[in-house]
Each structure stands twice: as structure tokens, then as C-alpha cells.
Amino acid sequence: MDQDSLSIALVGNPNTGKSTLFNALTGLNQKIANYPGVTVERKVGSSNIEGHRHKIIDLPGTYSLNHNKIDERITYQALIGEYEYESAPDLVLVVVDSSNLERNLYLATQVMDLNLPMIILLNMADIAEERGLHIDAEKIEGQFGVPVIPLIAKRAKDVEVAKAAIAAHDLSLPEPLRWKPDPPLEAAIDTVIEEWIKPYTNLPARSHIIEALRLISDNQLTDDLKQHPEKERAQQVIQRARTGIEKNGGNALAAEVLKRYDFIGTCTQDAATREPRGDTLTDKIDAVVTHKIFGPIIYVSILLLMFQSIFSWAEPFMNMIDWVFIETGNFIATQLPGGMLNDLVVEGIIAGLGGVIIFLPQIMFLFFFISILEGTGYMARAAFVMDGFMSRIGLHGKSVVPLMSGFACAIPGIMATRTIENYRDRLLTIMVLPFMACSARLPVYALMIAAFIPSERVLGIFSLQGITFFGLYFFGIVMAILVAFLVKRFSPSQAQTPFLMELPGYKMPKWSSVFYNMFDRGRIFVVQAGKIIMSISIILWFLASFPQQESSEQTTVSKASIEIQSVSGKEELSASEQIRQSYMGRLGRLIEPAIEPLGFDWKIGIGLITSFAAREVMVGTLNTIYSIESEDSNIATLQEKLINDVHPETGKPVYTIPTAISLMIFFALAMQCMSTIAIVKRETNSLKWPAIMFVYMTSLAYICSFIAYQAGNMF
């Protein structure tokens, strides 16, 4: 290879190990961004191969290049070089699942038609061997005319083989239409290219064959060409091409597919042989985990164990982080001269950041478990197990994967609904997806549970806190089900498209990828949340510190509140009254009557307002408020501050178990994430649906919190 630096694209069907290979090639030299104009993750990294640093691009998994779906279109546009700031790749690595050879090679034949240098990587050779499938890579290479390399992407030595193949490639081009379309189809391709694509579009030359075949098969223009001034001419050309196929007894819709699979069948007839074997380990496990009775039980049990472990395992790390922030605050407070700067840094910035960063271990453990479930192949089984139930309540089977993605963050879950073809099914999934308890809610849940739910053991295995944690996630699922069911009852029904999902073979997750994903998501949380929290903490500190009150202006408080003050109560009263009379205190007390029936005081009200920027900011807000208000050095943690907080007039605790439950229910249901609102607007291309989402979710949260608090006080 003479080139110093190449742009290399990874292409493949979903679940072929493409991301595993990408991580192995790039290591930590990668970054994540979005494709221009669409909110889909774009992974780019670099790899050093024989002294040359090459750019590696991990394109979205796709079954074809027909670009009817947005993920297909992104991959197609990236390959043909249609993005303004990114040219077509110099080399394409087509990652193929060896155990599903024919279906995966379909995409490989389409990439060949783009006339791009390529290598076919037969991944998962171990799974193919387990299923009794023996593949002769040299015979397939001879048929396709491009290098074909068998490998197992999770093995370091096989990754080196892939690197050697990249270094040895001479960038020669494959032969387009090697699958030999029959004469009527070939004539139709020429007609569409010569009479429409070449004279009337600016599409790159390498895309002409794929675009012509798509037009012949679909019989319609893409959205960006529907406004073309010559669109009627295009329809005439397409119809004439289709008629030519049909006059010769062909099927314009299926002609391409049939000929490609004929070619693939010929290539694999002698190159892939299968020896009869009994049930594989995957088959035996699936007999249990996808069972109609045991499957749901196993699914719920896994979730329960996962959330119990998150709560238990993270506690030592959380205590350590809490101690670090407390000691850091105390150290800086003694080093800086007293005054506004000292208060801003200690009570504003450090307290605000510390109140949220403490929950980083729980968020990292959450992504640790999600990565394991995805890496082992169980996540697809969970979707399969829930498919029948989802269909009965009005959601499409394909809704399962986006909804499960919502446990991490609603935004990628909403984007994942693009795989749902039916618009009504997709819209309904988007509208209920924010009920899934995302990681941003976790800090609020963890704070309330640790402070107000007893850590008693249940059945000797689970703790009451862990069960409550799981219950909140389960509560979000139940509410999504109820809303979907009600919509199904009161909206016109439509025929659902069938749900097809591949169940990949079970395998041990690649632990380096699991830990990388865990730490990478932790880093993203710290960086993204940290920026928001720091900004809001500074604003809150100013709002809570001004206008400053003179001691003579302080409001007289009731005798009951004075009696509960300690010896240093005069100083405590001064700080408390300062924040009550500040701009923030006035705003909080202005909205307090509206939220008081939920058990919330003005401090929680301020937290509810700031949490619209990001849900986790709620905890940082409370930490900032209580740090400014409290002068008692014996009360070190936010948890202790909440437990010890009393109403200044009644002397009763501000936080009770009903208050904590009410607050957690409100956060479980309310739409408090502006990023989610923005992505819904983008995905639906309308302000109507995000507005409806905000109103109905917030109203539902208010009603349910009201019922929970009032019932809790009653009983």
C-alpha cells in the first residue's frame, strides 16, 4: 500500500461484530459525533497499520443500500461521498456473519456495484464452526473477485490478519454487476441511467447502478427528488424500464433480489458445506430464555438483580466521591479568603458538582450491565420475549429495542424508532418512550431512596431499597403500557407491519469493549452534565445570594422555629432567612402554593425548574441551596441535610416518606428534559407532538404525585 493515509469504512448487517472490529482496530483513538443533518451517531477512529495512520469509520448497520430507511441512507450517502465535508472511502471492509452467509453477502454484492475497493471479512467463524458450517474463503474470493478473509474479531491475532489484508490491498476495484442481471433487467438499468440519472441528477457516477435498481424496484423518487422540475419525465422513464422487464415475464419488484441471491447461491454452493449436528448451545439456552412462561420471568429477574446490584455495588464508590468533594470544599474554604468568591466556589460550584458526580458510579454500573446484555446477545431475546405482549397493548414488536434503549437515555431510544416503518407505530413509541427511567433520573431516585427508604432485607437476598429502585423502573414501564393501551382503544387501528428480528448467537462479551463503553459513557455524563451543572450552580448561587439582607431587616420567625435552633442558631437563622428573601427564594415561594399539595416546598420547586435543563441537575440544585443555607459543619452530606431539614414555621420535617415517594413519582412521569423535547420535534418535524408530550406527561405526573402524597399522609 503506497498511500500514507486512507479513509476506511466498516459496513455490515446489524449483529455482525462490526463494532467489535472497529473497537479492536481503533482502540481508544476514536470519537463519536453525529452525521450532518441527522442525529445518528457517527463513530470515527484511527488505526496505525504498518507505520501508516488510517481513518476508520463505523457506518450504521444495514441490510441493504436501498436507502428506504434513514440508517440505510446514511450508509449509502457515506459510501458514495455525498456528504459535503467527507469524500467517499478509499477502502470498504464488509463485515459478514459467517453463520448467516447468504443474507450477509447480499449487502456485499451491492457494495461491489459502487465500484469501491473492498475486502470481505467473514467474521464469527467460531459460531459458524459451532453450527457445523465449513467455509472455503478462497472459493468465495474467486467468485467475488475481491479479498475474502475469515476471522474472529474479538481475537487479537485475527485483527492483525485483518490489518495485514488492509496493508496488502492494492486498491483495485471490484467488477460492478458481477452477479449478472438478465438482459431485460440490464437494459432497464441502462435506460434509467442514460435517460434520467445522468442528464437530470448530480448523483456521483459510482451510485448510478444502485440508484437505478432502487428506482426500478420501488417505482418512486426519493424525497429530495420529488420537487425536481422533471419528475414527470423520471416517472415515465422508470415506468418504461419496468414495463420492459414485465414484458419478458420478469417481476420488476423482485428481479434484482432474485438474481443477486442466485449469484450468492452459486458462490456458496461449493464454498460452504454444513455437517448435520444436534442443537447448539444457543438453541438449548433459547429453549428456556425465550419460553412463553419462563422467558418473561427470567427477564424481570435479570432487571431486578441488575438494579439491586447497581444500588449495592456503587455505594462504596459513592461514599468515596462524597468524601472527596466534602474535603475539597473544606480545604478550599480554609485556603481562600472569606467573602463572595469563597462562597461561590464552595457553596455554588463544588456543592453543585458534588451533588451530581456522586451518582457517577451508579450510572457507570448501569451501562456496564447494559453492555453485557447487548454483548452476550440477550438484549435481542428480551425484545423477542416481549413482542407478543407489546403487540397486544398497541405497540409494534420493534418498539421493544427503542424502549429498552430508553433505560440509558431517551434520545437514542427515540432515534432508534426509525426502524419502525409504520408512522403511527413509530409516533406512539416516541410518545411513551420517555416513561422509561433514563440514567438522568437515577441521581434523584438514589438520593431519595438512600435517605428515606429503610435498608431492610427481603427474602435474605434483596434489600427494600433495591426493590424500590427496581419498582420505579417497573412503574415507568407500566405507565407506558397503560398509555399505549388507552391510545389503542381510542384511536383508529391500522394493520401492523410484521416484526422480524435476528437472534444472534450467544457469546462472551468483549470485556475491553464493555469497560470502554462504561467509562466512555461515564465521561460523557461528567462532561455534558458537568457543563450544565456548573453553569446552573453559578446562576443559582447568585440568585440565592442577592439581594443581600441586613440583619435588622430579617423577618421575625415563629417561636416554634427559634426553639429548634442550636446554640449557633442565630447564624443559621441568618443564612436561612437570606436565601428565603433572595431572588431564588422569592421565585420558589411564588410557585410553592401550586406544588404544596404534592408535598413539595419552594426548594424542591426551584429544583423542578432547573431540572428542565437536565433531570440530574435537580440534585445539584438542592445541594447548592442547602450548602448556602446551612452553616452547620456537622451536617456534611446532602442526604443528611434533607433528613434534618425542618419547616421554619411548623418545625415539622420538610421531607417525609410520602414526600420522597411523591417526588420520585413526579420524576418518573414528568417530561423534564429539553433535549428530549428537541429531538421529538426533530423526529416528528412538528411542534405539535412535543407540546402534547410535555402537557400530558407533566399533567399525569402532577395527578399521580398528588394521589401518592395525599394517600401516604392518610395512611
Side-chain angles (χ1 to χ4, degrees):
M1 182 185 297
D2 298 329
Q3 290 78 2
D4 289 338
S5 179
L6 298 179
S7 176
I8 302 174
L10 293 181
V11 177
N13 292 180
N15 300 314
T16 58
K18 184 167 55 68
S19 295
T20 300
L21 180 62
F22 173 77
N23 292 333
L25 288 172
T26 60
L28 299 179
N29 302 315
Q30 55 184 259
K31 62 181 180 179
I32 297 176
N34 286 333
Y35 286 92
V38 287
T39 317
V40 172
E41 278 193 353
R42 176 183 184 277
K43 294 183 180 179
V44 178
S46 62
S47 182
N48 197 316
I49 302 175
E50 294 192 359
H52 300 299
R53 183 162 293 278
H54 303 296
K55 178 181 178 182
I56 312 294
I57 305 169
D58 186 15
L59 296 175
T62 178
Y63 291 103
S64 76
L65 298 180
N66 294 339
H67 58 86
N68 293 321
K69 301 175 185 176
I70 191 165
D71 288 352
E72 293 176 349
R73 184 158 188 81
I74 288 169
T75 298
Y76 171 70
Q77 289 179 316
L79 290 177
I80 66 175
E82 206 167 56
Y83 286 128
E84 184 177 358
Y85 301 107
E86 186 173 284
S87 58
D90 302 304
L91 178 64
V92 180
L93 305 182
V94 182
V95 184
V96 169
D97 177 0
S98 300
S99 62
N100 289 291
L101 200 57
E102 291 194 6
R103 191 210 61 215
N104 279 242
L105 287 176
Y106 184 92
L107 177 62
T109 64
Q110 289 189 311
V111 175
M112 288 173 64
D113 289 343
L114 293 178
N115 207 26
L116 287 168
M118 62 183 284
I119 300 173
I120 296 176
L121 299 176
L122 301 179
N123 192 25
M124 301 182 181
D126 52 340
I127 297 176
E129 186 70 23
E130 179 188 339
R131 297 180 180 179
L133 184 63
H134 302 284
I135 301 173
D136 188 333
E138 291 185 0
K139 287 185 178 180
I140 295 178
E141 181 174 316
Q143 294 283 353
F144 273 74
V146 299
V148 178
I149 311 295
L151 82 162
I152 302 173
K154 60 185 179 182
R155 288 184 185 171
K157 64 178 183 179
D158 285 10
V159 174
E160 293 303 316
V161 171
K163 288 183 177 181
I166 293 171
H169 201 288
D170 60 2
L171 301 186
S172 58
L173 300 176
E175 178 188 348
L177 299 178
R178 193 178 179 94
W179 48 279
K180 301 300 180 187
D182 55 28
L185 178 58
E186 190 168 12
I189 294 171
D190 291 339
T191 297
V192 174
I193 291 175
E194 298 299 329
E195 298 186 24
W196 165 250
I197 296 177
K198 279 186 177 180
Y200 294 105
T201 75
N202 295 319
L203 291 170
R206 63 171 51 88
S207 71
H208 289 181
I209 292 175
I210 294 293
E211 184 65 18
L213 287 165
R214 191 200 63 77
L215 291 172
I216 294 167
S217 174
D218 292 355
N219 193 24
Q220 60 182 0
L221 299 176
T222 53
D223 291 339
D224 55 340
L225 293 178
K226 286 182 179 178
Q227 305 302 320
H228 197 287
E230 298 290 340
K231 66 178 181 179
E232 291 184 2
R233 181 188 296 271
Q235 294 293 354
Q236 293 171 359
V237 171
I238 295 168
Q239 188 56 50
R240 189 163 67 253
R242 289 171 60 88
T243 301
I245 296 173
E246 291 165 357
K247 280 184 177 179
N248 286 275
N251 184 332
L253 178 65
E256 174 198 359
V257 175
L258 294 174
K259 290 301 296 183
R260 286 190 191 274
Y261 275 117
D262 284 346
F263 171 73
I264 293 169
T266 301
C267 294
T268 59
Q269 184 176 4
D270 297 326
T273 58
R274 186 185 299 272
E275 63 182 55
R277 290 191 178 181
D279 290 342
T280 64
L281 179 61
T282 292
D283 296 329
K284 294 175 182 177
I285 297 175
D286 277 346
V288 179
V289 300
T290 62
H291 191 272
K292 64 179 181 181
I293 296 176
F294 298 123
I297 295 174
I298 292 172
Y299 173 58
V300 172
S301 300
I302 287 174
L303 290 181
L304 181 56
L305 284 170
M306 183 174 78
F307 293 121
Q308 172 66 42
S309 300
I310 289 170
F311 205 87
S312 301
W313 294 0
E315 187 174 2
F317 300 99
M318 294 172 67
N319 291 337
M320 183 177 65
I321 293 173
D322 199 20
W323 177 82
V324 169
F325 272 92
I326 290 171
E327 293 302 316
T328 301
N330 291 337
F331 175 77
I332 293 177
T334 59
Q335 297 300 309
L336 287 177
M340 291 181 61
L341 179 61
N342 189 310
D343 294 342
L344 171 61
V345 174
V346 176
E347 299 170 356
I349 297 174
I350 294 179
L353 284 173
V356 176
I357 301 301
I358 186 177
F359 300 103
L360 176 62
Q362 290 184 328
I363 289 170
M364 291 178 69
F365 276 123
L366 174 65
F367 282 104
F368 171 75
F369 285 114
I370 289 176
S371 296
I372 289 177
L373 293 178
E374 290 177 340
T376 56
Y378 178 76
M379 195 71 86
R381 271 77 185 178
F384 177 80
V385 166
M386 298 298 293
D387 172 41
F389 175 73
M390 300 295 284
S391 299
R392 284 193 292 272
I393 65 171
L395 289 170
H396 192 276
K398 286 187 178 180
S399 301
V400 178
V401 174
L403 289 173
M404 294 187 70
S405 300
F407 282 133
C409 179
I411 292 173
I414 289 171
M415 292 189 301
T417 62
R418 294 167 178 171
T419 60
I420 304 173
E421 292 86 354
N422 185 288
Y423 180 76
R424 175 189 175 276
D425 294 336
R426 183 182 178 219
L427 182 60
L428 180 55
T429 304
I430 290 174
M431 296 301 285
V432 302
L433 196 145
F435 284 126
M436 300 298 103
C438 65
S439 57
R441 292 181 172 105
L442 192 150
V444 180
Y445 292 167
L447 176 65
M448 293 294 116
I449 291 172
F452 301 103
I453 304 299
S455 57
E456 299 176 0
R457 285 283 165 185
V458 178
L459 300 177
I461 303 175
F462 305 108
S463 71
L464 191 57
Q465 292 180 331
I467 292 175
T468 304
F469 200 25
F470 167 75
L472 287 164
Y473 280 77
F474 189 72
F475 176 68
I477 296 172
V478 171
M479 294 307 298
I481 289 170
L482 289 176
V483 171
F485 180 75
L486 290 174
V487 172
K488 179 185 179 183
R489 288 287 303 272
F490 296 103
S491 66
S493 59
Q494 296 180 5
Q496 290 190 336
T497 53
F499 174 45
L500 300 175
M501 170 171 280
E502 177 190 356
L503 297 182
Y506 289 102
K507 57 181 182 286
M508 285 295 292
K510 186 174 176 60
W511 292 105
S512 59
S513 298
V514 170
F515 286 110
Y516 175 81
N517 186 54
M518 180 180 73
F519 285 105
D520 187 54
R521 291 297 175 175
R523 178 189 61 81
I524 291 172
F525 169 76
V526 171
V527 172
Q528 294 184 349
K531 293 176 183 177
I532 299 173
I533 293 164
M534 183 173 291
S535 302
I536 291 179
S537 295
I538 294 172
I539 295 171
L540 284 175
W541 182 86
F542 277 105
L543 291 177
S545 301
F546 295 95
Q548 293 190 339
Q549 304 296 313
E550 299 295 335
S551 59
S552 59
E553 297 176 352
Q554 291 174 7
T555 306
T556 303
V557 297
S558 66
K559 182 178 180 181
S561 71
I562 296 176
E563 289 175 350
I564 64 172
Q565 303 299 329
S566 63
V567 176
S568 60
K570 185 176 179 181
E571 191 174 8
E572 177 71 22
L573 179 62
S574 173
S576 177
E577 190 59 27
Q578 163 62 40
I579 198 169
R580 283 179 62 84
Q581 297 300 325
S582 67
Y583 294 123
M584 183 170 65
R586 295 173 188 176
L587 174 62
R589 286 184 286 119
L590 179 66
I591 65 174
E592 190 174 40
I595 59 176
E596 195 171 14
L598 311 183
F600 304 161
D601 70 344
W602 67 269
K603 299 170 192 173
I604 298 177
I606 293 296
L608 294 179
I609 293 174
T610 58
S611 65
F612 281 101
R615 289 185 175 99
E616 60 268 33
V617 174
M618 171 74 177
V619 179
T621 299
L622 290 178
N623 210 25
T624 299
I625 293 174
Y626 279 99
S627 295
I628 295 172
E629 184 182 52
S630 177
E631 300 292 341
D632 188 350
S633 60
N634 294 322
I635 301 178
T637 67
L638 178 57
Q639 179 180 330
E640 291 173 317
K641 292 172 185 176
L642 298 183
I643 295 172
N644 288 274
D645 192 19
V646 294
H647 198 282
E649 296 181 1
T650 65
K652 295 181 178 179
V654 172
Y655 288 88
T656 61
I657 291 179
T659 301
I661 293 174
S662 174
L663 182 59
M664 289 188 289
I665 288 176
F666 190 89
F667 264 81
L669 301 180
M671 172 36 60
Q672 292 171 282
C673 180
M674 298 310 296
S675 298
T676 301
I677 293 290
I679 200 66
V680 171
K681 190 269 177 188
R682 182 168 189 167
E683 292 296 307
T684 61
N685 197 29
S686 169
L687 286 172
K688 169 185 166 184
W689 295 112
I692 292 174
M693 174 184 284
F694 177 81
V695 171
Y696 100 82
M697 290 187 68
T698 305
S699 301
L700 185 62
Y702 190 96
I703 294 169
C704 291
S705 293
F706 175 83
I707 294 172
Y709 179 72
Q710 298 299 331
N713 281 337
M714 186 181 302
F715 296 107

